[in-house]
Amino acid sequence: TTGERRPGATGQEFPLLDFLKTQSTRTMHNPYDSMDDEAAGHLGDLSLWKRLLGFVRPQRNRVAGAVLLSLIITATGLLLPYLIQLALDGYILKEDLDSPARMQGVARLSLVFVVVVLVGFTANFFQVTVLERAGQEMMHSLRRLLFTHVLNLNVSFFHGQRVGRLTTRLTNDIQNLHEMFTSVIVTLFNEGVRLVGIIAILLRLNWRLALLLSLILPVMLWITAWFGRLSRQAFREIRKHLASINAFIQEMVTGISVLQLFQREEDTHRRFVGLNEEYYGSALFQIRVFGVFVPLIEVMNSLSLVLIIGYGGMEILGGRMTIGVLAAFIAYMRLFFQPLRELSQKYSVVQSAMASAERIFQLLDTRDFQPASSDAVRLEKVRGIIEFKDVVFEYEPGRPVIHRVSFRIEPGKTLAVVGATGSGKTTLIHLLERFYDPIEGRIELDGTDLRRLDVTWLRGQIGLVMQDVFIIPGSVRENILLDGDASEEEIERAVDLAQLGPLMKRLPHGLDTCIGEGGTDLSAGQRQLLSFARVLLRNPRILVLDEATASVDPETEMFVEQAVRAVLMGRTNIVIAHRLSTIQRADQILVMDRGRIVERREWGANLPP
């Protein structure tokens, strides 16, 4: 908000504004094309599989149970055609048995058939349940680990990141892994075992016919590999263009007032039509791929049936094969083509999941943490002496934004920092909060270098009130407490000192009134009062007001002035402000320009006009 250059600040953080200023829909590059870029994760990446297995290991008992159930499911599926063969050759076509014996035999096999189907259904039910439980446990652990990691990354990391991309890592990418664990992996195992079982059974039934049918196998493998490659490309393009549409719609809805103000409806519509046509084209490509693959599978299936009936018919006429064996061959060949279709369709899902794993682990491997001292300390008692000593800082190498800044604030005193936008005021606050460390010089609290202090403890000693107040969807009470705890008396005292009492009386449920998304909207001044209540409840020794009164509405200006007096009392304060009333309370005033202190004023000196 200060206009200072941040890491990754390329001038494209606000594409809507750039869009309005440089709109040329026929020639503009699409800034959303890279929103869903694919990482380089591949099926053969053993390092990725090794790391993924680390999350599977705690669920190894459930996974082992799912594998066992998978074997049962496969066995029951392969047993059904064999039962049909036994019924045909052993009873239905057995002319040397009388009718009652035939009927009893068929009835027994029918009962066995039903039992096998029920066993397969039960095993399938428990396998799905066990896998979903294991998958949810694994993804819960991974999502929690990833979120905790992101939460502890340094603030500088987020300056170069898109919020949507980080959100995708925590949602879509983890969901891709969940899908692979719960359905694809077991499906691949099931179908692989089924293929091996079918081939073994066909060789046992009639090895000559099985070898004849094996001539089709290389063609099927080539078709499957071709489909897997094209379908992966199709799904990737669909995801990329869909992400572009989502990002574009989100930005347009957010900035709809700006669009209408500058009358960009027609251009925006034309831009959306272009994105929509790209998505439409990728969807048609996917349809064409499936439109070729599925009929090809059916053609190969029909060709195999021709070979089975032709060769099997001659074998039956020659007395070398029974009708039951022929029926079993036909049933097994139908089962044979189903795994090939499943394997080819699941391949793209596994590839997408591996790419997601690559992106997730890249984020987990990011080590952009604020360096901590090996002997970090916490001061027993904070007096509140703050001193900057020849501090130099730069966001980007070779482009310093703070030049040899030195000043000292005594306990209980107030320092006001003024200056034009981009002069380095807010950067001083970031350095005090240890979001960054100086390139040169040092910053001390009560004579101790901030780099020696425990970061969590340090930030607990500093209360920060900014111009833009963060409101969570919840009650007023929850917004004041955030993740803290306090008694009802302490909350009421903070509310009174922050001048929130009149507002609470007007709200329908007082402190329990819901605000934020879906709740009561507060004005800018009322939000500031709420932020003062947060600070007063925590009672920090050091207070920072960063343009905290810049956007106060006239209705609450008097209350804000009273709240400011309350929060400043008895603390060491740093105030960044443009309001003369706020600056006049300062014991010391620093005027900054381009990262340098160009003027100092002590209490009692005449202020510049």
Side-chain angles (χ1 to χ4, degrees), residues 70-243:
S70 176
L71 295 175
I72 296 174
I73 295 169
T74 302
T76 55
L78 295 179
L79 186 58
L80 297 179
Y82 180 69
L83 293 176
I84 294 175
Q85 179 207 343
L86 290 181
L88 288 173
D89 292 341
Y91 298 102
I92 297 175
L93 301 177
K94 197 75 171 178
E95 296 180 356
D96 56 349
L97 291 179
D98 55 11
S99 294
R102 290 182 179 182
M103 293 179 65
Q104 290 177 2
V106 171
R108 284 196 299 270
L109 287 176
S110 299
L111 180 61
V112 172
F113 193 97
V114 172
V115 171
V116 170
V117 170
L118 291 177
V119 169
F121 170 80
T122 304
N124 201 1
F125 170 79
F126 282 107
Q127 184 198 52
V128 171
T129 304
V130 168
L131 274 178
E132 281 294 331
R133 178 65 181 272
Q136 290 294 341
E137 292 282 351
M138 288 185 288
M139 295 308 103
H140 173 71
S141 300
L142 180 57
R143 188 179 290 111
R144 184 172 55 190
L145 173 65
L146 187 60
F147 182 77
T148 303
H149 178 79
V150 170
L151 201 62
N152 289 285
L153 287 173
N154 202 14
V155 172
S156 59
F157 169 80
F158 297 94
H159 288 155
Q161 298 292 325
R162 288 178 181 263
V163 176
R165 187 164 297 179
L166 293 176
T167 304
T168 300
R169 299 296 172 268
L170 286 159
T171 54
N172 293 3
D173 284 335
I174 290 181
Q175 185 60 36
N176 287 342
L177 291 181
H178 174 264
E179 183 178 358
M180 181 179 72
F181 277 123
T182 56
S183 62
V184 176
I185 294 299
V186 174
T187 298
L188 295 177
F189 180 80
N190 285 355
E191 305 303 347
V193 172
R194 182 183 296 183
L195 282 175
V196 174
I198 290 174
I199 293 173
I201 293 172
L202 292 180
L203 289 172
R204 181 181 178 277
L205 289 175
N206 190 303
W207 64 271
R208 290 181 296 272
L209 180 55
L211 290 179
L212 180 63
L213 292 174
S214 66
L215 298 176
I216 302 176
L217 188 58
V219 181
M220 283 299 307
L221 292 177
W222 179 85
I223 293 175
T224 302
W226 169 82
F227 172 75
R229 179 176 58 83
L230 290 184
S231 64
R232 182 172 69 253
Q233 178 183 347
F235 283 124
R236 180 181 300 173
E237 289 297 314
I238 287 176
R239 285 194 303 271
K240 183 181 73 172
H241 294 309
L242 183 59

Side-chain angles (χ1 to χ4, degrees), residues 258-506:
V258 180
L259 287 172
Q260 293 180 352
L261 179 64
F262 286 89
Q263 300 179 4
R264 310 307 300 183
E265 294 91 343
E266 183 178 347
D267 292 335
T268 304
H269 177 265
R270 187 161 55 246
R271 182 72 175 279
F272 177 78
V273 168
L275 293 174
N276 199 32
E277 287 179 351
E278 291 176 354
Y279 176 78
Y280 177 72
S282 60
L284 285 181
F285 176 70
Q286 177 205 4
I287 292 172
R288 285 195 294 268
V289 170
F290 275 87
V292 174
F293 174 72
V294 174
L296 272 179
I297 292 292
E298 293 302 322
V299 168
M300 300 306 296
N301 192 5
S302 300
L303 180 59
S304 66
L305 290 178
V306 170
L307 291 176
I308 292 172
I309 294 173
Y311 183 85
M314 291 187 292
E315 290 286 288
I316 292 174
L317 293 176
R320 295 182 294 275
M321 182 186 288
T322 64
I323 294 178
V325 171
L326 179 65
F329 252 92
I330 293 174
Y332 280 121
M333 284 307 297
R334 287 190 175 276
L335 290 177
F336 182 81
F337 284 96
Q338 181 181 350
L340 289 177
R341 187 183 299 113
E342 290 290 333
L343 290 173
S344 59
Q345 292 179 359
K346 298 298 185 183
Y347 178 81
S348 60
V349 178
V350 177
Q351 182 65 43
S352 176
M354 295 303 290
S356 293
E358 175 86 0
R359 293 191 290 260
I360 289 172
F361 290 131
Q362 281 178 354
L363 182 54
L364 283 175
D365 291 338
T366 301
R367 290 292 178 264
D368 193 358
F369 301 112
Q370 194 69 2
S373 174
S374 58
D375 57 343
V377 298
R378 299 186 176 192
L379 304 180
E380 293 184 4
K381 183 179 180 180
V382 179
R383 295 181 59 200
I385 302 175
I386 299 173
E387 189 167 6
F388 280 58
K389 295 183 176 180
D390 291 326
V391 171
V392 177
F393 177 73
E394 55 189 25
Y395 289 111
E396 297 178 4
R399 304 188 65 174
V401 294
I402 298 294
H403 303 265
R404 301 290 175 189
V405 169
S406 299
F407 61 86
R408 177 185 174 92
I409 314 174
E410 298 297 333
K413 300 299 183 180
T414 298
L415 168 71
V417 183
V418 297
T421 299
S423 60
K425 304 185 299 296
T426 300
T427 299
L428 294 180
I429 307 306
H430 290 166
L431 293 171
L432 179 62
E433 294 266 11
R434 268 213 80 193
F435 292 144
Y436 305 94
D437 285 331
I439 304 300
E440 298 180 25
R442 52 191 282 152
I443 306 172
E444 296 179 353
L445 173 61
D446 292 346
T448 303
D449 194 320
L450 296 188
R451 285 169 285 207
R452 289 198 56 218
L453 296 176
D454 181 275
V455 175
T456 303
W457 175 86
L458 171 65
R459 292 171 182 169
Q461 307 306 311
I462 303 174
L464 176 63
V465 180
M466 304 182 68
Q467 179 178 353
D468 297 323
V469 181
F470 177 68
I471 299 293
I472 63 172
S475 66
V476 176
R477 185 190 309 275
E478 291 170 336
N479 272 276
I480 293 175
L481 286 172
L482 291 181
D483 59 346
D485 190 20
S487 65
E488 192 67 24
E489 292 76 14
E490 291 173 329
I491 296 175
E492 290 179 358
R493 179 176 180 276
V495 167
D496 290 339
L497 288 175
Q499 307 301 312
L500 271 175
L503 173 62
M504 294 301 100
K505 294 178 181 178
R506 293 199 301 267

